[in-house]
Amino acid sequence: MAELPDLGKQCSVETCKQLDFLPFQCDGCGNVFCSDHRTKDNHGCSLCLQEKTTLEYNGPKAFTCDLNGCGNRELTPLPCEHCQRSFCLRHRHQQDHQCSKLLDAPVRGAKTAEHVKQILAAKEVRAPDKPRRIVNSKSSSTARKVALMKLKMHATGDKGIPDSERVYLNVQLPQTSSLTTAAMFFSKKWSIGRIIDYMTSTHGIPNANNTVTDKKLRLFVNELDEELPVDESLESQISSVLDSGATVILKYVTGLHTHSNETS
């Protein structure tokens, strides 16, 4: 190495002094270092130390509580959102530092309660003097269908009648019968007179329609209290005064002219 004294430079770190043929010059302090100490942190660059010293915070170190007689200090301000004064952790709540805005709270609460009371009074719904019944046509139609299904489950009649001809009726029987009501089905092609004869024979009801007497059995539509003519077919009455599932009344009447009952 003595033959080449001008080649390379020694590391500027006192504890190193290593001769390096490719030294690194620091762009901060300007000194030369070996590969091990080329970074500023590894050789403790004086310029970096100076910058760190310059950036040291010189502002206030803490914030004193504004409550008289406290003296506690906090690293960050804790302002009260009501009176805008800063307090320590112990006195940050309104009640703890006797906030000047705290006196308004009960008044605001009372006003709010009164306002709510007025709203509820305005929305109070009074029941009408007479309840109004709203009839829903859709629900009424559904109820009739359900009633007809129940009627079909218990109805009795001539099993020889085709399903396409059957008309189901809820019959209210006269007091002479052991039953008050009966679910029955009939052929729509039968006359009203034949239907009366079938009802009486099925339930053992006295029938003097074919004799000369003032007391006759007749069939009435329950909702209209309208007599069904004995000579007309059931089919002719379906579209006008009754429908399948309707209620009819079989009862004795007097003072009527004698009509012949068709049986076919």
Side-chain angles (χ1 to χ4, degrees), residues 133-177:
R133 184 179 178 183
I134 300 176
V135 179
N136 190 320
S137 59
K138 184 176 180 180
S139 61
S140 178
S141 176
T142 303
R144 288 196 297 269
K145 290 180 181 179
V146 172
L148 179 59
M149 290 176 60
K150 292 181 178 179
L151 183 64
K152 289 182 177 180
M153 293 174 61
H154 302 94
T156 59
D158 188 345
K159 303 297 182 183
I161 300 175
D163 290 341
S164 58
E165 293 184 11
R166 293 183 181 184
V167 177
Y168 293 82
L169 299 174
N170 186 34
V171 183
Q172 292 185 9
L173 302 173
Q175 295 180 354
T176 56
S177 173

Side-chain angles (χ1 to χ4, degrees), residues 42-63:
N42 287 345
H43 66 257
C45 183
S46 58
L47 182 62
C48 292
L49 293 175
Q50 183 179 358
E51 290 178 352
K52 290 181 180 179
T53 303
T54 305
L55 294 176
E56 183 179 358
Y57 178 70
N58 294 322
K61 303 297 182 182
F63 297 86

Side-chain angles (χ1 to χ4, degrees), residues 24-44:
F24 296 89
Q25 186 174 14
C26 177
D27 59 357
C29 60
N31 294 327
V32 176
F33 301 94
C34 64
S35 59
D36 293 336
H37 299 103
R38 68 180 185 274
T39 62
K40 295 179 180 180
D41 289 337
N42 287 345
H43 66 257

Side-chain angles (χ1 to χ4, degrees), residues 126-241:
R126 296 183 179 179
D129 296 335
K130 294 183 179 180
R132 299 176 61 186
R133 184 179 178 183
I134 300 176
V135 179
N136 190 320
S137 59
K138 184 176 180 180
S139 61
S140 178
S141 176
T142 303
R144 288 196 297 269
K145 290 180 181 179
V146 172
L148 179 59
M149 290 176 60
K150 292 181 178 179
L151 183 64
K152 289 182 177 180
M153 293 174 61
H154 302 94
T156 59
D158 188 345
K159 303 297 182 183
I161 300 175
D163 290 341
S164 58
E165 293 184 11
R166 293 183 181 184
V167 177
Y168 293 82
L169 299 174
N170 186 34
V171 183
Q172 292 185 9
L173 302 173
Q175 295 180 354
T176 56
S177 173
S178 59
L179 298 176
T180 56
T181 60
M184 302 184 70
F185 64 85
F186 311 95
S187 171
K188 63 182 180 180
K189 299 185 180 299
W190 287 6
S191 67
I192 302 300
R194 182 176 178 180
I195 290 174
I196 294 174
D197 291 342
Y198 186 83
M199 290 179 181
T200 56
S201 64
T202 302
H203 296 286
I205 301 171
N207 182 2
N209 283 359
N210 293 325
T211 62
V212 180
T213 177
D214 288 339
K215 194 174 184 180
K216 302 293 183 179
L217 278 169
R218 292 291 185 263
L219 202 60
F220 293 82
V221 179
N222 183 28
E223 295 180 354
L224 304 175
D225 196 25
E226 181 176 342
E227 180 187 352
L228 299 177
V230 294
D231 296 330
E232 298 291 336
S233 66
L234 179 60
E235 185 175 18
S236 66
Q237 303 300 309
I238 290 177
S239 60
S240 57
V241 294

Side-chain angles (χ1 to χ4, degrees), residues 98 105 127 193 225 236 257-258:
Q98 299 177 356
D225 196 25
S236 66
H257 294 289
T258 303

Side-chain angles (χ1 to χ4, degrees), residues 55-72:
L55 294 176
E56 183 179 358
Y57 178 70
N58 294 322
K61 303 297 182 182
F63 297 86
T64 305
C65 179
D66 285 346
L67 182 64
N68 293 333
C70 177
N72 289 336

Side-chain angles (χ1 to χ4, degrees), residues 64-116:
T64 305
C65 179
D66 285 346
L67 182 64
N68 293 333
C70 177
N72 289 336
R73 298 164 67 86
E74 300 294 343
L75 294 177
T76 58
L78 299 173
C80 173
E81 61 180 1
H82 301 284
C83 64
Q84 305 302 321
R85 297 171 62 192
S86 182
F87 301 92
C88 63
L89 286 172
R90 182 179 177 183
H91 301 115
R92 67 185 184 277
H93 298 298
Q94 280 187 288
Q95 295 84 352
D96 297 330
H97 64 258
Q98 299 177 356
C99 182
S100 58
K101 302 295 183 180
L102 186 61
L103 297 177
D104 297 337
V107 178
R108 290 196 302 268
K111 291 182 178 179
T112 302
E114 181 65 23
H115 185 57
V116 172

